[in-house]
Amino acid sequence: MDDDDGLAWDGPPCPACGLEMNSDVIETAHGLKVCQRCPACGLVLLVPDPFAAD
């Protein structure tokens, strides 16, 4: 995609349809989470938080 969303990298390809995924922030029961969202098929993958204290 050629859209400039302010991110310095391209998203990964969607495992379901192959289109480039977009970075997005969603609200969950545990707060805001970063995810990858496919604009074509709607697949959403949550990105693990490397700074979360377990």
Side-chain angles (χ1 to χ4, degrees), residues 1-48:
M1 295 182 94
D2 293 334
D3 295 337
D4 184 10
D5 58 6
L7 298 175
W9 60 85
D10 293 334
C14 175
C17 70
L19 190 69
E20 180 182 336
M21 297 181 81
N22 298 324
S23 292
D24 201 359
V25 177
I26 59 172
E27 186 172 352
T28 69
H30 301 285
L32 297 176
K33 299 291 181 185
V34 175
C35 69
Q36 298 289 333
R37 183 183 306 266
C38 180
C41 69
L43 179 72
V44 175
L45 301 173
L46 287 178
V47 178

